[in-house]
Amino acid sequence: MGTANYHTHCDLDDGAGRPREYVTRARELGFAAIGFSCHSPLPFPCDWVLSERSFAEYRSEIGRLKGEGSLPEVYLALEVDYLRGVWGPRAPEVASYGLDYCVGSVHFIDIPATGEHVAIDGSAEEFARCLAEGFGGDVRSMVREYYELVREMARHSTPDVIGHIDVIKKNNPGSRYFSEEEDWYRAELRETIETVAASGAILEVNTGGLARGRTDSVYPSPWILPECLRLDIPVQINSDAHRPEKLDFYFAEARALLREAGYRKQAMLIGGAWRAEEL
Ligand SMILES: [Zn+2]
Ligand SMILES: [Zn+2]
């Protein structure tokens, strides 16, 4: 049973702690591998992603840690946003970075009238503004647009790992805007995992919403996991760590959820190749 974490940030983007502190913690935890996936630079100003300058430092720092060659294995990755027609995991710039893999995530929805990119996993106020200004208060349209973006990314800009697939629930505490029990919501997520299955990408089980007290379940919500297994979607457990001490947050519980759903393997990058390892 191997353990690793392929979705981690650090003090060079919006996390805390030097990359080396994460590696040290991963070693203490007996991880086989750690992959750094800071937020990739974006083609517009954004204060929580790597800047051109911090990206250069990031690459050289992770390269240095990789070069030390001791366990855990260290990998250089990015969490790349998908922006319709503008940017994504398969953008030529991203291919030129020489990454070991990439996590693809949707954090932004555009407000059609202004073209503004609004982060839907940020503050409750920002989410409410996107809903009001972009969708006239129609939450179904906004949720549909979110999942449509994830599907587009999976189809046309396929990452190695799909990041926090249902992060749209982050600003829905107490089912404030929608219920995950409703048929229309479940149909959206189901259609999305079918697209992920066809893409061949790995689906992460991400404990980061719980780690930051923003959700009461992992991404994706556990009810969908047996359906992911039926579609033969490879999975892996990540904590989206923004602090070294969160590297294995809720891992035991996430593993139990996956086993309960019937999973016995998780996808791990070991020796430079993705493998199905005992869960
Ligand atoms: Zn993210
Ligand atoms: Zn992340």
Side-chain angles (χ1 to χ4, degrees), residues 142-161:
M142 183 166 155
V143 170
R144 203 165 287 139
E145 170 68 355
Y146 168 75
Y147 281 117
E148 185 51 34
L149 289 165
V150 178
R151 292 190 288 263
E152 280 179 25
M153 174 176 75
R155 278 191 207 106
H156 306 304
S157 199
T158 321
D160 299 279
V161 180

Side-chain angles (χ1 to χ4, degrees), residues 7 9 37 39 79 107 164 206 212 240 242:
H7 189 158
H9 297 266
S37 59
H39 294 287
E79 182 177 10
H107 300 105
H164 45 60
N206 178 317
R212 290 189 275 183
D240 204 345
H242 283 69

Side-chain angles (χ1 to χ4, degrees), residues 21 72 92 108 163 170 184 191 206 213 231 240 245 274:
E21 296 174 59
F108 295 100
K170 187 171 174 182
W184 68 270
E191 188 183 338
N206 178 317
L231 292 168
D240 204 345
E245 58 270 28
W274 290 107

